[in-house]
Amino acid sequence: MSASGSQQLFSTNVSADLNTALEARTKDPLWYLARQWQLGEFEAETGGLPMQIHVEARIYPLETCQVGGRSVDVSAHAPLEYLVESEPTGQTVRPDGWKPSALEYGFSLSTDRHKMEARGYDGRAMDWHDFSLTLQGGSPGEEQRLEMVPGQLQIRGVPEPRFWEIEDREAYFDSGEGAEPNILSLLLPEFFYTDMKNWYTIPAPMPSGAVREIEDVRVVDSFGVVSSVDPVGAQSAPRDDPWSIYAMNLGDEERTNSSTLLCLNTAARVGENDLIEEVRFLRDEAANLIWGWERQLTGSDGLFATVLEPGEAIHADEADALASTADLRFRLKSETARSFIPYLPRQTAGVPAVDGDIALRRARSSEAYSSKNPQYRGEIIAESLYLNEEDVPRSGVRVRRLHRFARGSDDEVYFWIGRDRNIAGPTKKPKLTFDDLLPVTADK
């Protein structure tokens, strides 16, 4: 008993044998069975575990790639990035697959039965989700039969099946230290603790540069029951009707195809070498335009240079031209560096558009520039006479031309000049102003 009058109880083990404690016996097993019956846990259709999976499929190798207006045979060894991105040898012109108004690549792949169109490929990590699928008639393809033993899906933090097995404490999904509680924070722990042991994976190898159509999947469980498994998301169902995952879009329709798998013959890793030029397209809401900033360029002498930041390129002769004898001087428009090329909104229709379709057309910041003496100096701005307004977000777009290389499956090294698009990130914009009254001695 303590000095305050309260009592404290301490547990102690009077037995030297720990086997009884480690058995973790249930005091009333009948009570647990009654609770399982009460909650309906005995009403399952089958309690068997999947023991063997039979898959019937057909393989269709990729044959041609349509880039621009030409069709090229797809090599089983050359990386697909080399085929799509490479610029013509010895010429400073854009690749056939590059779309300068959208700042992305557009091309399609074909087999004897399928046609896949790539939309929105930005030159980084080409994968199956960059394509939409169009089914065609043709040969039945090569038949493939697989018999595999499934393995249970393993993710960090999943409860272990053994009673005394220690779990990973670094992944704790029902911790209260996360974000504000929402429906996802409730569903995720329930999925991990109740349904994770019902997910299985199977090794299903297939050749790269091919399309596989799954025709039938049959599962044999531990009781010998054979069940046929349908793909999640049927072709005839709307995209938002049953939920689907890893399913290719069927063209522009609101449907998906979950039975078709596309395995591209892309490079395991694409290396990047010397940068040729970098352009950042930046929104300027105050000036109601978009700037194309040629941030880094390679001159005609082959030397690479970084263009000055905004406000650093001010010429003395231009400053002298604005001198005045009065105390104040009027400035119609502030000067910007040559590396900033403006894009102004223009209606795309010949007559005033009813729906307000707008495109951004390349302009100039000074009358000193013309078609014979353009303001731009790089290839990216030269090709992009028009830009789609929706393709330039508020965060900006960074487009690069650079030397790339990769190794094919035949161990041959491929070199080419490619492009990529990414978010520009925080970038200073030129301070373009109009109708200013400034002191005579003030800088421009």
Side-chain angles (χ1 to χ4, degrees):
M1 180 178 294
S2 64
S4 60
S6 61
Q7 293 183 350
Q8 295 181 351
L9 299 179
F10 297 92
S11 62
T12 180
N13 186 11
V14 297
S15 175
D17 187 8
L18 298 179
N19 292 332
T20 303
L22 293 176
E23 290 176 357
R25 296 178 180 179
T26 301
K27 186 66 176 178
D28 190 355
L30 184 60
W31 182 87
Y32 282 104
L33 294 175
R35 288 292 292 172
Q36 287 182 289
W37 169 80
Q38 185 180 12
L39 297 176
E41 295 184 9
F42 297 148
E43 297 180 2
E45 296 179 0
T46 176
L49 301 176
M51 304 301 294
Q52 194 173 34
I53 295 182
H54 301 266
V55 178
E56 294 183 4
R58 293 190 179 274
I59 301 295
Y60 301 86
L62 298 176
E63 294 186 348
T64 58
C65 177
Q66 292 76 33
V67 185
R70 61 189 180 95
S71 180
V72 183
D73 294 336
V74 175
S75 172
H77 303 290
L80 198 57
E81 296 92 341
Y82 170 78
L83 188 63
V84 173
E85 301 175 9
S86 58
E87 297 181 358
T89 306
Q91 303 181 38
T92 56
V93 296
R94 65 182 176 90
D96 294 334
W98 181 255
K99 301 166 64 175
S101 59
L103 303 176
E104 64 187 22
Y105 288 97
F107 60 98
S108 62
L109 300 173
S110 298
T111 68
D112 285 342
R113 177 176 169 78
H114 313 86
K115 182 178 181 181
M116 287 75 63
E117 294 186 6
R119 299 176 182 177
Y121 173 54
D122 55 9
R124 300 180 300 121
M126 185 189 304
D127 211 336
W128 64 268
H129 47 72
D130 294 318
F131 295 82
S132 58
L133 174 65
T134 301
L135 295 180
Q136 299 175 337
S139 63
E142 178 185 353
E143 185 177 2
Q144 184 184 45
R145 295 178 180 270
L146 301 173
E147 294 185 3
M148 296 156 290
V149 176
Q152 201 165 55
L153 181 63
Q154 297 292 333
I155 297 179
R156 292 178 57 190
V158 176
E160 299 294 345
R162 299 183 181 275
F163 185 81
W164 292 109
E165 190 169 356
I166 299 177
E167 300 164 354
D168 186 2
R169 61 180 299 269
E170 298 297 331
Y172 189 49
F173 291 94
D174 56 355
S175 173
E177 301 176 357
E180 181 179 353
N182 50 51
I183 186 64
L184 183 60
S185 64
L186 299 177
L187 291 177
L188 188 60
E190 181 181 358
F191 170 74
F192 268 83
Y193 294 141
T194 61
D195 297 331
M196 177 54 68
K197 296 303 180 181
N198 297 328
W199 288 79
Y200 293 84
T201 60
I202 57 174
M206 66 174 292
S208 62
V211 174
R212 176 164 60 190
E213 282 192 7
I214 306 295
E215 295 183 340
D216 187 26
V217 176
R218 298 187 306 277
V219 180
V220 182
D221 63 17
S222 55
F223 295 108
V225 179
V226 181
S227 304
S228 182
V229 180
D230 296 326
V232 178
Q235 295 185 18
S236 58
R239 182 184 304 172
D240 55 353
D241 190 359
W243 178 80
S244 60
I245 188 172
Y246 302 123
M248 297 186 67
N249 295 337
L250 290 178
D252 296 328
E253 303 178 16
E254 294 294 319
R255 297 187 299 163
T256 57
N257 184 296
S258 300
S259 61
T260 302
L261 301 175
L262 172 61
C263 182
L264 299 170
N265 54 325
T266 54
R269 181 180 179 273
V270 176
E272 297 181 353
N273 209 323
D274 295 339
L275 181 66
I276 301 177
E277 65 175 299
E278 176 187 329
V279 176
R280 298 191 179 190
F281 296 93
L282 311 170
R283 280 190 176 272
D284 192 339
E285 301 294 347
N288 193 26
L289 53 81
I290 285 180
W291 296 103
W293 179 24
E294 293 182 321
R295 183 172 181 271
Q296 294 177 313
L297 294 171
T298 301
S300 57
D301 54 359
L303 299 178
F304 180 78
T306 299
V307 181
L308 296 175
E309 292 285 342
E312 293 182 352
I314 299 179
H315 302 287
D317 54 348
E318 295 178 355
D320 295 340
L322 292 177
S324 174
T325 58
D327 293 338
L328 297 176
R329 61 182 175 86
F330 173 77
R331 185 177 67 179
L332 179 63
K333 181 178 73 69
S334 62
E335 298 295 325
T336 58
R338 177 183 177 181
S339 57
F340 284 87
I341 296 90
Y343 279 81
L344 304 180
R346 293 289 184 268
Q347 290 183 341
T348 56
V351 296
V354 178
D355 55 358
D357 290 339
I358 297 295
L360 300 167
R361 192 190 188 283
R362 187 183 64 220
R364 55 183 179 175
S365 59
S366 174
E367 295 182 355
Y369 304 114
S370 62
S371 58
K372 295 182 180 180
N373 179 32
Q375 181 177 354
Y376 54 85
R377 288 166 286 187
E379 293 294 331
I380 297 177
I381 296 289
E383 299 163 358
S384 302
L385 179 61
Y386 286 93
L387 289 177
N388 299 332
E389 185 181 16
E390 62 274 12
D391 291 324
V392 183
R394 296 184 61 182
S395 57
V397 174
R398 184 196 69 181
V399 180
R400 301 186 303 170
R401 286 180 66 225
L402 68 165
H403 293 276
R404 290 182 163 181
F405 66 95
R407 190 178 298 273
S409 59
D410 57 351
D411 210 32
E412 182 177 352
V413 180
Y414 296 84
F415 297 91
W416 73 94
I417 297 177
R419 308 171 185 216
D420 66 0
R421 183 193 67 189
N422 205 343
I423 298 175
T427 306
K428 294 182 180 180
K429 305 180 183 65
K431 297 180 180 179
L432 181 63
T433 59
F434 298 91
D435 301 334
D436 298 323
L437 285 178
L438 302 175
V440 176
T441 58
D443 293 334
K444 296 165 55 180

